[in-house]
Amino acid sequence: MTRAITFSPSITVPLTHDCPWNCTYCGYRSDTEGLIKPEEFTRLLDVAIQNHATEVLFLSGEMPDSMPHIRRALDHRGFSDFIAFTRWACEQALARGLLPHTNIGALSRSQLLRLADVNASMGLMLENIDDAFNRSVAPEKSVAGRLRTIETAGELRIPYTSGILIGLGESHESRLRSLDALAALHSRYGHLQEIILQNYIPNAGSRLLPTAPAPSLAEYQSLIAHWRTIAPDVAIQIPPNINPHWEHLLPLIDDLGGVSIEGDLVNPLSPWAPPAAYAAAAARQGRSLHHRWPVYDRFLQRDWIRPPVWEVLRRRSPVLGSDGGCPSVGSNASQALRRAAEGFGLSLESAIQLAEADGAAEQELCAAADELNRKLNGTTVSYVVNRNANFTNVCTTNCTFCGFYRPPGHAEAYTRPIHAVVERVLQTPWVTEVCLQGGIHPDLRFEDYRDLLRALKDALPGVHLHAYSPMEIHSLHLKTGWPYHRVLSELRDAGLGSIPGTAAEILHNTVRDRLSPDKLRTEHWIEIVETAHSVGLPSTSTILFGHGESWADIFHHLSILRNLQARTGRFTEFVPLAFVPHRNRLGSELSRASGTSTEQLAAQSAVRARRLYPLARLFLGPAFRNLQTSWVKLGTHEAARMLQCGCNDFGGTLYEESITRGSGGTHGEHRTPAELQAAIRSVGRTPRQRTTLYRPISSAAVPSSMSV
């Protein structure tokens, strides 16, 4: 497997910016701002939850309660001192399922003890070992006090982060001695989980102007090599938002630190890039980016992690044992995830366990799915230049989730004659695929379906006709009395090239009875698709999710697809489709039952997609080489995000999308090839036009900006 580099999705919460000390390099310090306001504290935790952060970094100035206005504020809020306030803040984070990492300066043994059981880890930068130098830039700081704090943390078995600050004018020799001092403490207690090589950059409020050259790439390489010899088990972290050499150092380091949603409050002029940008850079350097907890795996033992923290970790991670025991890399879920990333698939039990895990599992799943996708497809993302052609919206199936159909006799019902459908298709003669879509019209005959195929083939001989879902095939079987084999064979001979694997929804009859009781049964869908494959008609495969189904329902469905693919090998792709709830009966019913708006229901589907897409890639494995994201259902931005979670296909241009729009979809009815290419490139992937059956095609043959 590709060697991982880690980061912690985090948010920074400044308990106070106030500090009595006067470090010349600091851009964080203020004098009279006071304690964080309660509403701001709550807002930041809300933002952390909404953005799937796992870590809360609590910061403050040094010894803030030595300042009279801070003592008054603490007293007013009912706290005996600043440590009591900090402990309360950590408890609030834990109660929300977030993991605290506190860095509030040098602390005594009793202060560390009071905070240890509500922190996943803690930290304090040593900065520099040379007191004489420190007095010129940070006159109040004491090397002895900082070393004593770091050592005491080791005695108390607190997983700890430290590091050095470079670029202030200190010597290379003092940098090495600073690292030696940290390594000596770690050799006694084994408590350092990472060290940070943090370079100084001026910020608003910094009074120290750089007087020495910024540390060179060679200097970082030298410091990294030195640390590897004296403390090889401790990770090396480089902050990517402030270090100009960070991408070149990716092959040598282990971690990028906490990437905070609300920016870097210590270096506010240098915000972080989105994790996707760091993932792309890591890939360029032969690395893969993975989530980590604020406490490293090797510290996940009962005597290092206190019960309140352990409970949050256990709840949020599928890797940790539910019995509270010590997890290991050999634990079932962790082993299953690694094997899935290698292409061995997931068991039903492991898939459901991973699906139901909270929070950070999302990043872990995406990383594993992306790794498997890269093995199968590299960084290429395909798309097809196609169009939909709707020949009727008349339907008698009455699916609760559909806003497209109209019953016979409805004022908005239509059935287009064959020549009208052909004329619409000829508006886009450059497409390589036409997808025919219609309802289950009670009066259309088999000949109507066959003749439409023939007419389109006559008009555009080279086009691939992708048409007639299993429900339409079932309807033709009932009308003609012919077996599925004959219906499909005659349509194939008329020009049909492949069938859509729609009408699947959830392949579980109990769920189907709720969604569309008049639709074909699960066993009929399987028989039709397997028959299509046997007569030389490949198909897509789909699932409709986001309508109240369980994860067990989803993986029952995926198991059917996986087994069917093992028998036939003729599924071209898997396409998860998010339920659009705005203008259909099911959306109204779910909205009333849950007391939420249809907009909130749609947002919940988007959240579910972020877990379903990577899990589908891992569960289905290499047998399903192609996993398609849907800009129609998710929007272009969110669909592009799925390209980092296991997807390798962006779907098609469509040109006449009506099914999703009929249910109130808001993402438009078509995209030009240029727009698809731009979306793919936006996440660092390479676009490639394909045919319906995933053969490459020259994009020069298609006008990239063509629209209708």
Side-chain angles (χ1 to χ4, degrees):
M1 294 174 68
T2 306
R3 187 172 166 228
I5 191 165
T6 57
F7 79 106
S8 176
S10 71
I11 195 163
T12 304
V13 175
L15 298 176
T16 180
H17 284 268
D18 292 355
C19 182
W21 292 2
N22 293 281
C23 303
T24 59
Y25 48 80
C26 183
Y28 175 87
R29 171 187 178 274
S30 68
D31 288 321
T32 59
E33 183 179 290
L35 300 177
I36 187 171
K37 292 179 172 55
E39 59 271 21
E40 175 64 3
F41 180 85
T42 300
R43 184 190 73 82
L44 289 173
L45 294 192
D46 287 343
V47 169
I49 296 293
Q50 291 161 8
N51 288 275
H52 308 292
T54 56
E55 173 184 344
V56 180
L57 170 59
F58 287 115
L59 290 181
S60 77
E62 300 260 0
M63 301 174 59
D65 50 1
S66 66
M67 306 175 81
H69 71 285
I70 295 292
R71 289 199 303 273
R72 288 193 297 271
L74 290 167
D75 183 65
H76 177 73
R77 297 197 194 183
F79 296 104
S80 59
D81 58 13
F82 189 71
I83 300 301
F85 177 58
T86 304
R87 182 183 171 91
W88 170 85
C90 294
E91 290 170 341
Q92 298 303 303
L94 288 168
R96 305 282 302 268
L98 299 165
L99 294 161
H101 173 91
T102 295
N103 188 333
I104 57 172
L107 300 173
S108 68
R109 183 182 187 87
S110 64
Q111 291 172 325
L112 285 168
L113 274 171
R114 291 168 64 191
L115 293 175
D117 64 347
V118 291
N119 273 276
S121 57
M122 297 179 68
L124 177 70
M125 293 289 284
L126 172 61
E127 296 185 0
N128 192 278
I129 194 70
D130 190 339
D131 248 336
F133 171 76
N134 287 343
R135 280 192 289 273
S136 68
V137 293
E140 294 92 351
K141 282 187 176 176
S142 159
V143 171
R146 300 179 89 73
L147 288 173
R148 187 163 52 249
T149 297
I150 298 168
E151 181 171 18
T152 304
E155 293 172 353
L156 297 175
R157 291 178 174 261
I158 299 173
Y160 216 71
T161 294
S162 191
I164 64 173
L165 183 60
I166 61 179
L168 299 173
E170 73 289 342
S171 67
H172 174 71
E173 184 272 338
S174 73
R175 295 169 184 168
L176 296 179
R177 285 194 297 108
S178 300
L179 293 177
D180 289 342
L182 290 172
L185 291 176
H186 177 70
S187 68
R188 292 203 289 275
Y189 305 106
H191 63 309
L192 292 184
Q193 56 181 11
E194 63 193 350
I195 59 116
I196 307 172
L197 301 179
Q198 182 159 335
N199 54 300
Y200 167 63
I201 59 169
N203 282 289
S206 302
R207 291 177 287 119
L208 177 67
L209 297 178
T211 57
S216 65
L217 176 61
E219 174 68 5
Y220 285 104
Q221 293 168 332
S222 172
L223 296 174
I224 290 168
H226 182 72
W227 184 257
R228 294 295 189 207
T229 65
I230 59 176
D233 61 326
V234 179
I236 297 173
Q237 180 188 125
I238 293 287
N241 61 314
I242 61 173
N243 192 302
H245 309 296
W246 70 272
E247 185 166 350
H248 297 292
L249 293 170
L250 287 175
L252 304 177
I253 64 171
D254 308 288
D255 189 69
L256 299 180
V259 177
S260 177
I261 300 151
E262 289 275 303
D264 186 341
L265 298 185
V266 176
N267 296 287
L269 302 182
S270 304
W272 279 283
Y278 298 135
R284 289 194 293 270
Q285 299 292 339
R287 305 290 295 274
S288 59
L289 187 67
H290 292 257
H291 159 273
R292 67 163 170 83
W293 302 106
V295 54
Y296 278 45
D297 287 353
R298 63 190 176 90
F299 294 100
L300 296 180
Q301 303 172 36
R302 277 184 159 180
D303 56 349
W304 282 83
I305 304 298
R306 278 61 170 183
V309 176
W310 181 264
E311 179 55 32
V312 173
L313 276 166
R314 187 192 64 76
R315 194 166 69 245
R316 295 200 67 167
S317 174
V319 175
L320 305 185
S322 60
D323 60 355
C326 174
S328 69
V329 292
S331 63
N332 290 340
S334 178
Q335 179 76 7
L337 193 58
R338 286 199 304 276
R339 284 181 60 78
E342 293 169 359
F344 292 99
L346 283 170
S347 69
L348 188 63
E349 180 184 10
S350 295
I352 294 174
Q353 185 181 8
L354 289 164
E356 293 177 346
D358 189 18
E362 188 175 297
Q363 279 107 3
E364 294 171 299
L365 291 170
C366 278
D370 186 54
E371 183 174 338
L372 176 56
N373 180 48
R374 287 171 184 268
K375 284 183 170 70
L376 297 173
N377 300 297
T379 58
T380 297
V381 172
S382 55
Y383 66 94
V384 64
V385 179
N386 66 347
R387 73 159 295 134
N388 291 344
N390 305 304
F391 56 93
T392 183
N393 68 347
V394 175
C395 189
T396 56
T397 307
N398 301 311
C399 298
T400 62
F401 52 82
C402 183
F404 168 76
Y405 85 93
R406 297 295 182 269
H410 192 280
E412 296 175 357
Y414 66 81
T415 301
R416 294 182 176 124
I418 288 176
H419 72 84
V421 177
V422 172
E423 287 174 4
R424 294 176 77 87
V425 169
L426 287 174
Q427 293 173 3
T428 52
W430 59 86
V431 299
T432 64
E433 172 194 305
V434 171
C435 178
L436 295 174
Q437 294 182 326
I440 306 304
H441 196 305
D443 299 329
L444 287 179
R445 305 164 302 151
F446 174 82
E447 290 77 12
D448 297 317
Y449 288 82
R450 181 198 62 198
D451 293 348
L452 178 56
L453 294 173
R454 288 175 174 172
L456 286 167
K457 270 297 185 182
D458 287 341
L460 290 170
V463 78
H464 181 103
L465 299 181
H466 180 68
Y468 306 150
S469 74
M471 184 63 211
E472 289 166 289
I473 301 301
H474 184 65
S475 173
L476 293 174
H477 151 75
L478 295 176
K479 287 178 178 180
T480 61
W482 299 343
Y484 295 137
H485 186 279
R486 180 178 174 184
V487 172
L488 288 159
S489 295
E490 295 215 10
L491 293 173
R492 177 202 61 200
D493 294 344
L496 183 62
S498 59
I499 68 170
T502 49
E505 282 70 72
I506 297 285
L507 293 172
H508 192 301
N509 284 337
T510 301
V511 181
R512 298 178 77 77
D513 286 341
R514 175 172 62 86
L515 297 178
S516 47
D518 298 330
K519 217 161 195 175
L520 78 171
R521 303 281 79 193
T522 295
E523 55 271 22
H524 295 144
W525 189 95
I526 295 170
E527 183 181 356
I528 290 167
V529 170
E530 191 160 12
T531 303
H533 292 180
S534 73
V535 302
L537 291 172
S539 74
T540 61
S541 58
T542 67
I543 190 172
L544 181 70
F545 68 93
H547 46 76
E549 76 289 343
S550 69
W551 283 110
D553 294 331
I554 286 174
F555 286 105
H556 174 83
H557 178 107
L558 293 184
S559 294
I560 290 173
L561 298 182
R562 188 165 69 174
N563 293 338
L564 187 51
Q565 182 75 331
R567 295 199 299 273
T568 72
R570 299 306 301 274
F571 282 127
T572 55
E573 71 226 62
F574 176 57
V575 191
L577 300 171
F579 169 55
V580 178
H582 305 301
R583 289 203 298 263
N584 49 58
R585 191 163 79 251
L586 180 60
S588 298
E589 291 171 357
L590 291 174
S591 179
R592 285 194 300 271
S594 62
T596 58
S597 66
T598 57
E599 288 75 17
Q600 290 170 311
L601 291 174
Q604 291 168 11
S605 289
V607 170
R608 199 166 184 78
R610 295 169 194 167
R611 188 152 300 198
L612 173 55
Y613 273 91
L615 278 168
R617 170 61 79 188
L618 296 168
F619 185 83
L620 296 173
F624 279 78
R625 180 168 181 174
N626 302 306
L627 177 60
Q628 184 183 117
T629 185
S630 174
W631 63 262
V632 176
K633 304 292 187 183
L634 301 176
T636 301
H637 176 76
E638 191 68 21
R641 177 176 176 171
M642 294 302 100
L643 299 179
Q644 299 165 320
C645 296
C647 290
N648 69 297
D649 188 74
F650 209 72
T653 50
L654 299 184
Y655 289 117
E656 188 186 356
E657 199 293 311
S658 299
I659 306 297
T660 301
R661 282 192 299 132
S663 284
T666 59
H667 302 301
E669 63 177 317
H670 78 276
R671 293 288 185 274
T672 66
E675 289 171 326
L676 297 184
Q677 293 164 14
I680 292 165
R681 290 192 178 100
S682 72
V683 291
R685 303 298 161 103
T686 303
R688 186 196 71 193
Q689 189 184 342
R690 63 167 173 88
T691 66
T692 305
L693 302 183
Y694 283 82
R695 298 186 181 98
I697 190 170
S698 171
S699 59
V702 178
S704 63
S705 61
M706 191 67 72
S707 185
V708 292

